Amino acid sequence: GKMQTIMDVLNFVIKDGKLGEMMSGTTGDGKLWKYPAVDSFDDKAFKLIEDELKKAKSNKIIARLADFLWITKHDHTKAKIATDAYLNLIDEYEDNDQSAPDHHFGLDVLESFNRAFQLSKGINYKTSEVLKEFKRLLFGFNPLSSSKAKLTIDLVELAIDNKKDFKDADFWEKVIILCEEQSKRLLSGNKQYFAREYLLNIKKIEELVLKKKNRKWDIKIAESYVSEADDHKNRKSLAELFSLIKAIEEYSKLKNHKKVEELKKRYKTSAGSVEFNEISTEIDISDVIKNAKSR
């Protein structure tokens, strides 16, 4: 029926401009199956989607139906409708994020922006408007949002991947300042994982875009692993050992032999004090789970 067809469209995963199934597997007799599948849509279903798109009021439904018709039928008008709807969705999700900053609405903002960016670039529509929106989100997204780090890091990576669209050297300097400020803030709050992602992005910008090399960021990355190990030290868990291994690798690359020796000694001492039989009960993975959710 009509509802099922619409549900099928909404259940596709759209990644890099391609439709992916929500689930797939093999039947008892070894046949492959997937749901939803494009080849299950006949002319009648496509006509129904066209009609529903004309009537739809919700930006989410409009975006998905128009995007589906663009990907399957290459209809430019639908790509424009989808771009506009995704841009409208950014505002909606941002309002939700302001009211409930802990609910990861920023990840929906990110997803909507990414798709608007791909579509706009692909059909050369509203490109300057989308770049303006990009800069607004990158420099002005709600600092209290739980999605702030993930959203900002991903937008910086999007800029690096599309560096030809950002020719202004001034822009890149601003991005480096932003990344450095964010990494300092996260390091002071013992959030070394996200802090490192920012530092790695600064390295990428300097090497790939500005064509210069600066050991400063490698040193900060190495230091972040040590401070992560310090953070785990009191818990006598394996996490401290993992961070120390990473720190040793980083300081080896920096040829800081004195630091490498010091950390190796510390590793031996810590490894001796980890009681492996306690690990299953002692290890605290709430941070790991939080990280995974944010990612």
Side-chain angles (χ1 to χ4, degrees), residues 1-49:
K2 182 168 86 174
M3 278 311 290
Q4 189 55 53
T5 303
I6 302 302
M7 284 309 294
D8 292 348
V9 173
L10 298 179
N11 281 329
F12 277 106
V13 177
I14 296 178
K15 189 159 169 49
D16 298 328
K18 293 187 177 69
L19 293 174
E21 66 273 7
M22 189 166 105
M23 42 192 174
S24 60
T26 350
T27 59
D29 53 4
K31 284 200 180 77
L32 289 173
W33 64 269
K34 55 185 181 180
Y35 170 79
V38 177
D39 50 21
S40 70
F41 290 80
D42 55 13
D43 291 345
K44 195 174 141 201
F46 278 109
K47 171 84 175 70
L48 191 149
I49 295 161

Side-chain angles (χ1 to χ4, degrees), residues 152-162 197 201 204:
T152 314
I153 289 163
D154 278 28
L155 289 178
V156 171
E157 284 171 3
L158 181 110
I160 296 168
D161 290 341
N162 296 275
E197 294 275 311
N201 277 341
K204 275 192 217 161

